[in-house]
Amino acid sequence: MANERTLAIIKPDGVEKHRIGRILARIEEEGFSVCAMRMTRLSTREAEGFYAVHREKPFFGSLVKFMTRGPVVLMVLEREGAIAKWREVMGATNPENADEGTLRREHASSLEENTVHGSDAPDTASFEIGWFFRESELLST
Ligand code: GDP
């Protein structure tokens, strides 16, 4: 399998609960390289654009409010099969359905406040990485 990149986010609930270090440790233990990382607070425009595919969903307004309520950590992760592997490490969207040992099972408190984000396919990964990072900011290690 080829090296691949995915966008990961530690969402506001993860930052508020001081889980950045534990999540980063897990990322490195699972064999990912961090190519880019930035802590920031998303503007409403950034969050709405990032989640544009969910614009028609009933939870869209609430999701944007949640994602903008405090700082997040944006990261680009690289490894073989990064997209599928990061989704496996995160676990199911709803922490109640997430497998034992996944980040969402361990840290998340609800379907919405589920601590981490990961791209779900190569085309979304490339859109999401480009939404937050310039090509020159992606550093292979
Ligand atoms: P993901 O790819 O596992 O992050 O899941 P989705 O792309 O389906 O949803 C994006 C994000 O919206 C999720 O990670 C949750 O934070 C939130 N979300 C998804 N479904 C719901 C829902 O039914 N209600 C609420 N309040 N939030 C949701």
Side-chain angles (χ1 to χ4, degrees), residues 46-102:
E46 282 177 311
E48 285 178 348
F50 181 72
Y51 279 124
V53 290
H54 293 305
R55 192 171 286 280
E56 305 305 324
K57 305 267 173 64
F59 59 83
F60 182 71
S62 174
L63 176 61
V64 168
K65 210 168 163 196
F66 161 54
M67 289 299 290
T68 56
R69 81 172 181 213
V72 296
V73 179
L74 306 171
M75 285 171 283
V76 178
L77 307 181
E78 186 173 77
R79 61 157 275 165
E80 270 186 25
I83 295 169
K85 180 66 183 176
W86 177 237
R87 289 194 66 91
E88 180 193 313
V89 172
M90 288 197 305
T93 308
N94 187 339
E96 286 180 16
N97 304 328
D99 289 342
E100 204 63 53
T102 60

Side-chain angles (χ1 to χ4, degrees), residues 99-120:
D99 289 342
E100 204 63 53
T102 60
L103 289 170
R104 283 169 165 169
R105 178 63 175 259
E106 199 174 334
H107 300 289
S109 56
S110 71
L111 171 56
E112 182 169 88
E113 299 200 13
N114 60 4
T115 314
V116 279
H117 168 85
S119 311
D120 64 0

